[in-house]
Amino acid sequence: MIRARLVLACVLAAGAAAPAAADTPGEGACAAFSVPGRAIEHPFELPGGQRALVRDPYGGLIFRNRLFVSFVVRTVDKAQREQVIDHVEWMLDGDPAPLARNRGGRYALLVPSTRFPAGQHQLTAHVVLRDGQALDEAIDVNATDCQPVTFFADIAVSRGRRAAATLSVGSGGPPMRRVTFTALRGVRAAAPAALRGRAIGTLSFFDGTSVRQAAGLTLRLPRRAAGGSVVVLRRGALRVTLHPGRRRLLDVNGLPDGTTGVRVRLAPGIVAPRRGCPVRADLVATVLGGRGSGAAAVRSGVRC
C-alpha cells in the first residue's frame, strides 16, 4: 500500500511568521508565507510530583480554514491519567463560553477552528483532579485566516525506476518567484537516454488557495544532455532546470507575476526511486517570494 503524507516545515525568512490578522490572502499581513508549526508539548507538574503535558499539535498556530482543532492533556501513561485526573475544562482568554459543546471528552478539546477568533490568545486547561484539587496550565496560541504553504508529492514509488511524479506547491496567497524541489531520501532525478529530445512532463500554474488549474507548458529533455544540470523549459524569464543524479531535483525560476501555485508533472523515470518497494521518499519544496513574502520550506513524502 502506498501512503502519502504532508509534513510541516518552517518559515525561513525573518518576519514571515503567520500573522494574526484576518486579511485577504496575498494582501496585508497575509502577504507573507505562513506554514504550520511542529507539535509542541507543554509540560507541567501535578500535585504529588506526577508529570503531565498539554499537547498542541499546531505549534502555536491555528489556521481557521481547517474544520476542527484538538488539544489534549496527557500523562506518562493513560492508566496514570485515569487514576489522577478526573477531567479537564478549557478556557479561551479566561472564558469557557467560546469552547462550549466540546466534543473531545474528559481530557481533550475538540471544537471548530472558528471558535478561535483571528489573533493572539491564551488557551487554558483547567485540570480537575480525582481528589478535588485543580490547577491551570495556560499556553499561547495564534489564530489566522491566512492560508498555509502546501506541498504534495505524488510519486508512484511502487513502480521503482519507472515511477511517474507530480509535485504541487501552493503558496496560500503570496506570489512566488522561485520553487526548488529537493530529495532528502528515497528518490533521485534522472535524464534517461531514451527520453532525450522528447517531452518529459509539464509545468502548470494554479490558484494556490484552491484547485483551479491552467494549461501546462511542455518540459523537454535536450537531445544532448552530457551530464550536469539541464534546462528543460525556457520561456522569457521562466526557466525549469533538472539536476540528474543529485538530491536537488528541480528548480523553477522566474515565475510569472502573481503565481501562487505550481504543479510539475514528470514522465516515468525522471524523479523516481532506484528500486521498488519498500521505499520511503521524503522531499522538500522551498519557495521564495517577492519583497515582504519571505521564504518557506515544506516537506512531503510517500512510501510503499
Side-chain angles (χ1 to χ4, degrees), residues 32-274:
F33 294 124
S34 299
V35 294
R38 293 180 180 273
I40 300 174
E41 295 184 341
H42 300 269
F44 63 98
E45 190 172 288
L46 299 171
Q50 298 99 328
R51 291 180 299 170
L53 61 88
V54 177
R55 188 174 192 275
D56 170 9
Y58 316 106
L61 178 60
I62 296 171
F63 290 96
R64 283 165 36 92
N65 63 335
R66 65 182 304 126
L67 190 57
F68 286 92
V69 291
S70 178
F71 297 82
V72 66
V73 170
R74 292 178 175 172
T75 56
V76 175
D77 57 62
K78 290 184 178 180
Q80 183 190 52
R81 184 173 64 178
E82 290 281 347
Q83 294 169 3
V84 177
I85 301 176
D86 183 74
H87 68 280
V88 180
E89 301 167 2
W90 300 88
M91 296 180 288
L92 184 64
D93 299 324
D95 183 4
L99 305 180
R101 297 188 297 278
N102 171 28
R103 301 182 183 182
R106 291 168 57 192
Y107 306 115
L109 174 69
L110 179 63
V111 294
S113 62
T114 51
R115 297 283 185 87
F116 290 78
Q120 294 281 353
H121 301 284
Q122 189 171 77
L123 176 65
T124 301
H126 181 69
V127 182
V128 180
L129 306 181
R130 290 283 189 180
D131 62 7
Q133 297 185 74
L135 72 157
D136 291 345
E137 177 64 18
I139 65 173
D140 294 325
V141 294
N142 182 18
T144 179
D145 283 331
C146 301
Q147 297 190 41
V149 177
T150 57
F151 171 38
F152 297 97
D154 182 8
I155 305 174
V157 290
S158 62
R159 299 194 62 189
R161 294 184 180 182
R162 295 293 300 163
T166 299
L167 310 175
S168 300
V169 178
S171 74
M176 299 183 291
R177 299 299 299 167
R178 175 179 179 176
V179 180
T180 297
F181 298 99
T182 304
L184 300 180
R185 62 177 170 181
V187 295
R188 290 291 187 274
L195 293 179
R196 291 176 185 173
R198 298 184 179 184
I200 60 167
T202 60
L203 168 70
S204 58
F205 308 113
F206 64 97
D207 180 347
T209 61
S210 70
V211 296
R212 290 182 296 172
Q213 182 176 345
L217 302 173
T218 300
L219 307 179
R220 190 175 300 276
L221 199 62
R223 291 185 181 277
R224 296 180 180 179
S229 301
V230 291
V231 176
V232 295
L233 173 66
R234 191 192 305 270
R235 177 170 294 191
L238 177 63
R239 185 173 62 184
V240 179
T241 305
L242 181 70
H243 304 285
R246 297 173 58 185
R247 290 190 175 184
R248 183 172 178 173
L249 306 172
L250 198 73
D251 295 336
V252 184
N253 293 301
L255 289 167
D257 292 343
T259 298
T260 57
V262 170
R263 180 170 291 118
V264 180
R265 299 184 187 275
L266 297 169
I270 302 300
V271 170
R274 296 176 177 175

